[in-house]
Amino acid sequence: MNKMSNELPAGGFFGNLRGDVSGGLSAAIIALPVAISCGVVAFSPLGRENVGFAAQAGLVSAIFITAIAALSGGSRYQVSGPKSSLAVILAATLAGLIADPLMPEGVVARTNTAIVLVFLCVVLAGVMQILFGLIRLGSIIKFIPFPVTAGFINGLAFLIIFSQLPQFIKISGPDVMAVLTDGALIKPKVVLVTGVTIIAMWLTRFWLRRGGDAIIALLIGTGTYYLVARWFGPEAMGSTIGLVPTDIPYPHQMFNFWVLKNDPNIDLLLLKILPSAFILAILGSIESLLSAVAMDARADSHHRSNRELIGQGLANVVSGGFGGLAGGGSPSRSLANYNAGGRTRLSSLVMALFFVLIMIYASPIVAKIPLAVTAGILIVYAVRMIDGWSRQLVSKLGREGNARNRRDVILNLGIVGLVTVLTVTTNLLLAVGVGFAVASFLFIIRSGQSPVYRQYTGGQVHSKNARPLEVMEILKEKGQSIYIIEARGPIFFGSAEKLASEIEAIRDAASILILDLRRVTEIDATGANILRRLQKQFARRNKKFLLSHLNPDRHLSAFLEDMEVITGETQPSIFSDLDRALTWAEDQILETQAVPKDFDQEIALEDLEVFVGMEKAHFDILRQMLVREHHGKDQCIFEEGSSGTEMYFLASGSVSVVGNLPDSDRKVRFTGIGPGVVFGEMAILGNMQRTASIYADNDVVCYSLTKEHFQVLGFEHPDIIIRLLLNMSMQAAHRLEMTSVQVRALEN
């Protein structure tokens, strides 16, 4: 039975109370500095005087996102909260709003309106996530091109780093040249504190495998700050978070949203925040679903993607309404919770309660946290955010490899780099849009490569019908005019013309061309028109153009009927599988060589290939041992799994070798057998059960030889048995040779 995300341990919701309390507190300690730092990042455009408000927003989001997502989400092991990648999007949105000419006049009014719009942006992102879940996009949303996602996350990581530079460099942005030419711009004591914090966080990561490095770095960095401040004075050390409001959270932003309706430009301002809300929704959904997948692997569970999106959406709606940031699932917090014993949603509620107590009782302590320390923590998290797959691509550039693999690495790295640069230098929506467009364009180009899987002739590969050796020799020579092309993937506007070019290149040499569509997944209108064009070209030249693997129940068949590729006129050239098409093509070749194709005429016993070289006296003896049998069309001659006591020599008609697939009730036709060929011999020669069933394709005449009579011949007339086995061996060797040629053709 699958372990679903809503299962509870024995004892119900409180059945793992000790483990959930332990897990919740462990994850909360890890999440505390992250929540505060996310708030600082999101509202950094407001300046240092609003850092306390920013820290409060981070804690508010930690409370509501953690609790609401746990109660309504689709994974009981998922722990959610504010995310630095989403915080930097809010910071960019806030900065854009403050600079927008449509905003109200006056610094206070402009700032207040911008703050309210940012929280409204969080609410809108949550609404979008709820819609994603309701329309069941949980499985689809993860299929956004990964290079685009990687580049976007990398860009956000760099934006986080750049947003922290003003903490220890006297510039307003990442002006590297200014720093290199004027060392006085650097704040050495702040750099010291930030550096100690970064080093402490990196080192403790190796010691504390289960997390907690951020809280230890916070303690060490803060201690360093106040130790250095005693020697050089607090004015040289940079700011602290400052006063953090201790009010119990209430949905005051919901009332502020209502006040926005009085702004004359509210419609235009809403349009400006919609793209940011969409990006928040998409990125938050992707990160949450990926985190849920990671926890599934860790806890051997199965999350519900659409319910998880709805839960994350509800959490963001509530968080924005109460004045909190956007958030999502966090693998680091989820793993910390799980490793410390958390097994139910109760552990997330313990986390939320921890943050409530911090807001009410520990605000004076939070106020004394230096911004240089939060900057160090954020820089480490930003570096860790840089996509690992991107780093692997860079390392692969220096390795030796084939040209195609190297080209793919360069293309993927190019998309990642493009989206990263656009994310840092332009706006986030443009970066995602351009990256998605480029990735889609490259996908079309790659898909537009030749859809030909392999190509061979009817002289190299034959149908499954086992024909007499002299007939097979004819097909080996004359079958070179039958060309088979196996297509694969989609045949659409990007690849159809290349398929047509390859077919037209062999058109003159082919009397019959079979296009096998077994591996074709889709055909668009352009592809269908190309197929119609090829049908007309071959018809004008009195040649045959066949399509195989078009069963009536396959969606491609219905589409090609609508596009008039399959019509009453072309129906005879449409086949359900490649073997039937190849059999028909071989029959056409044999007809031109005056070789009977239907095997209706019975071959005399003396003319059967398997009895070549025998004397008249031998046939007199054989007629006493052999039994002439007649089987009607579709009659079963013997069943798979039965104990065989006869071998058969086919004199007229044809039979099919049919077997059951393993672990399935479906029967498959393995091959066909024509006159002059032996079947069922292994039951006598190898004392084996029948490995397949034999069905008559039409009226069949064959001769049966029982195991008892075979043994009599062996004792009394060994020369007959020796000649019989020699001829059978020659037949088998000849077919093995043809099979070898066929395998080589298919492999090449």
Side-chain angles (χ1 to χ4, degrees):
M1 181 181 294
N2 291 333
K3 299 179 177 66
M4 301 303 291
S5 60
N6 58 344
E7 289 180 355
L8 292 175
F13 194 72
F14 297 98
N16 186 50
L17 181 60
R18 179 179 297 179
D20 288 334
V21 171
S22 173
L25 291 177
S26 298
I29 291 172
I30 293 173
L32 176 61
V34 178
I36 296 171
S37 300
C38 285
V40 173
V41 169
F43 291 97
S44 57
L46 298 181
R48 296 178 181 176
E49 59 274 13
N50 290 288
V51 172
F53 165 77
Q56 182 194 38
L59 291 172
V60 168
S61 59
I63 294 170
F64 290 105
I65 291 176
T66 303
I68 303 298
L71 292 175
S72 57
S75 171
R76 67 185 176 97
Y77 298 109
Q78 174 98 290
V79 174
S80 303
K83 307 265 297 181
S84 55
S85 56
L86 304 181
V88 74
I89 297 175
L90 291 176
T93 304
L94 180 59
L97 289 171
I98 292 175
D100 197 299
L102 294 175
M103 294 289 285
E105 297 292 336
V107 175
V108 175
R110 178 179 291 263
T111 300
N112 290 338
T113 302
I115 291 173
V116 175
L117 286 171
V118 164
F119 289 128
L120 181 58
C121 182
V122 175
V123 172
L124 292 175
V127 172
M128 292 179 187
Q129 287 181 300
I130 294 172
L131 292 176
F132 292 162
L134 291 176
I135 61 179
R136 309 190 69 79
L137 291 182
S139 299
I140 300 175
I141 202 168
K142 291 179 281 188
F143 291 103
I144 291 176
F146 191 74
V148 177
T149 304
F152 185 61
I153 291 175
N154 292 344
L156 294 178
F158 284 114
L159 285 176
I160 291 174
I161 294 173
F162 293 153
S163 70
Q164 298 308 302
L165 293 183
Q167 299 296 340
F168 46 86
I169 301 175
K170 300 175 184 177
I171 55 174
S172 58
D175 189 351
V176 178
M177 292 305 299
V179 177
L180 294 177
T181 56
D182 188 0
L185 293 175
I186 299 176
K187 306 173 184 177
K189 301 174 184 62
V190 178
V191 171
L192 173 64
V193 174
T194 303
V196 169
T197 304
I198 292 173
I199 293 171
M201 195 165 175
W202 276 109
L203 291 179
T204 52
R205 176 67 175 267
F206 296 104
W207 297 334
L208 302 175
R209 298 291 183 182
R210 296 186 176 184
D213 52 346
I215 194 70
I216 292 179
L218 177 67
L219 296 174
I220 293 175
T222 302
T224 303
Y225 173 89
Y226 285 104
L227 183 62
V228 176
R230 291 191 62 180
W231 293 338
F232 299 99
E235 64 279 355
M237 300 301 301
S239 304
T240 59
I241 287 178
L243 180 64
V244 178
T246 58
D247 303 333
I248 296 177
Y250 71 98
H252 59 285
Q253 293 300 334
M254 293 293 186
F255 302 106
N256 293 335
F257 298 157
W258 182 256
V259 175
L260 283 178
K261 68 182 180 62
N262 298 321
D263 192 300
N265 297 319
I266 185 59
D267 294 341
L268 296 175
L269 291 173
L270 287 176
L271 290 176
K272 287 183 177 294
I273 65 172
L274 279 177
S276 296
F278 181 74
I279 293 176
L280 285 173
I282 290 291
L283 185 60
S285 299
I286 292 174
E287 291 193 345
S288 297
L289 293 179
L290 291 178
S291 174
V293 169
M295 288 310 300
D296 285 346
R298 179 68 179 86
D300 190 23
S301 62
H302 181 70
H303 76 280
R304 300 173 183 176
S305 297
N306 295 305
R307 179 178 166 182
E308 181 65 20
L309 292 182
I310 294 173
Q312 295 292 340
L314 288 172
N316 281 323
V317 168
V318 174
S319 177
F322 278 78
L325 312 176
S330 168
S332 60
R333 286 166 243 176
S334 300
L335 285 171
N337 170 59
Y338 186 87
N339 291 335
R343 294 294 184 272
T344 75
R345 303 173 195 271
L346 179 62
S347 59
S348 291
L349 299 183
V350 171
M351 283 184 65
L353 178 61
F354 174 85
F355 292 124
V356 170
L357 296 176
I358 288 292
M359 276 195 66
I360 296 175
Y361 298 108
S363 290
I365 298 175
V366 173
K368 296 184 179 299
I369 295 176
L371 295 181
V373 174
T374 61
I377 293 172
L378 282 169
I379 289 172
V380 172
Y381 272 113
V383 173
R384 291 175 182 171
M385 270 179 61
I386 295 175
D387 180 60
W389 179 69
S390 306
R391 293 195 293 265
Q392 291 176 4
L393 289 180
V394 174
S395 66
K396 287 179 181 179
L397 283 177
R399 299 178 187 173
E400 294 184 0
N402 61 56
R404 180 169 183 175
N405 290 341
R406 191 174 182 83
R407 183 193 64 189
D408 290 342
V409 169
I410 292 174
L411 288 176
N412 284 320
L413 196 57
I415 296 174
V416 172
L418 175 64
V419 177
T420 300
V421 171
L422 290 176
T423 301
V424 174
T425 59
T426 62
N427 63 75
L428 306 177
L429 187 63
L430 177 64
V432 174
V434 171
F436 197 90
V438 172
S440 301
F441 179 71
L442 291 177
F443 170 76
I444 291 174
I445 292 177
R446 289 174 178 173
S447 301
Q449 295 174 355
S450 174
V452 174
Y453 175 60
R454 57 189 172 194
Q455 172 185 320
Y456 44 89
T457 69
Q460 298 169 306
V461 176
H462 306 294
S463 69
K464 295 177 180 178
N465 291 316
R467 305 177 191 264
L469 295 182
E470 60 182 27
V471 174
M472 298 301 293
E473 287 297 331
I474 294 174
L475 290 175
K476 185 176 180 180
E477 178 185 355
K478 302 299 182 181
Q480 297 294 339
S481 64
I482 302 173
Y483 278 78
I484 302 98
I485 290 181
E486 296 184 29
R488 64 178 172 184
I491 300 178
F492 71 124
F493 65 90
S495 63
E497 199 61 53
K498 292 186 178 181
L499 174 64
S501 298
E502 297 202 29
I503 291 177
E504 289 167 355
I506 60 175
R507 183 181 56 203
D508 294 337
S511 62
I512 302 174
L513 189 138
I514 303 172
L515 179 61
D516 184 60
L517 304 177
R518 178 182 181 181
R519 294 177 177 83
V520 172
T521 54
E522 290 293 338
I523 300 177
D524 72 349
T526 303
N529 282 319
I530 292 292
L531 294 181
R532 289 176 57 194
R533 187 180 84 191
L534 291 169
Q535 286 175 328
K536 293 176 182 177
Q537 288 178 357
F538 275 76
R540 283 197 301 267
R541 291 167 173 79
N542 199 27
K543 299 184 176 189
K544 303 298 182 183
F545 180 74
L546 313 181
L547 297 174
S548 64
H549 268 100
L550 285 175
N551 300 307
D553 57 347
R554 194 178 179 195
H555 74 282
L556 289 182
S557 300
F559 174 73
L560 293 179
E561 286 181 8
D562 293 339
M563 299 301 295
E564 298 185 352
V565 174
I566 301 177
T567 63
E569 182 180 353
T570 63
Q571 187 65 50
S573 64
I574 308 299
F575 296 87
S576 59
D577 59 52
L578 177 58
D579 185 63
R580 285 182 170 82
L582 190 52
T583 299
W584 186 90
E586 290 175 347
D587 289 344
Q588 302 304 303
I589 296 295
L590 294 176
E591 194 173 87
T592 63
Q593 302 299 311
V595 177
K597 62 179 181 179
D598 295 327
F599 314 125
D600 292 333
Q601 186 175 357
E602 183 177 346
I603 301 175
L605 192 65
E606 294 84 355
D607 295 330
L608 292 177
E609 285 180 352
V610 75
F611 297 130
V612 170
M614 292 193 182
E615 301 174 359
K616 182 178 181 301
H618 292 156
F619 286 107
D620 293 337
I621 297 171
L622 284 171
R623 284 191 175 90
Q624 298 176 20
M625 302 289 182
L626 296 173
V627 178
R628 185 179 183 275
E629 298 183 9
H630 176 269
H631 298 276
K633 182 180 180 181
D634 296 329
Q635 182 179 346
C636 179
I637 299 175
F638 57 73
E639 284 279 0
E640 178 181 357
S642 62
S643 57
T645 57
E646 301 93 8
M647 62 189 298
Y648 298 84
F649 306 92
L650 192 59
S652 73
S654 62
V655 298
S656 290
V657 182
V658 178
N660 294 314
L661 292 178
D663 302 322
S664 173
D665 296 331
R666 189 162 67 93
K667 294 182 179 294
V668 175
R669 179 178 182 266
F670 295 137
T671 188
I673 296 176
V677 180
V678 183
F679 62 89
E681 69 276 12
M682 293 308 297
I684 294 179
L685 300 179
N687 294 318
M688 298 169 57
Q689 288 186 330
R690 303 293 192 189
T691 56
S693 302
I694 300 292
Y695 289 88
D697 295 331
N698 38 45
D699 287 342
V700 164
V701 174
C702 59
Y703 294 90
S704 64
L705 177 65
T706 65
K707 186 174 184 179
E708 180 182 356
H709 285 154
F710 182 85
Q711 291 173 344
V712 170
L713 286 172
F715 285 116
E716 299 181 2
H717 305 282
D719 54 335
I720 294 178
I721 292 298
I722 290 172
R723 171 55 63 178
L724 177 62
L725 293 177
L726 180 62
N727 289 340
M728 290 171 59
S729 299
M730 291 176 63
Q731 280 189 341
H734 190 80
R735 299 189 194 287
L736 183 59
E737 178 190 0
M738 291 186 171
T739 301
S740 177
V741 173
Q742 185 167 316
V743 169
R744 287 193 185 98
L746 294 177
E747 287 297 323
N748 290 333

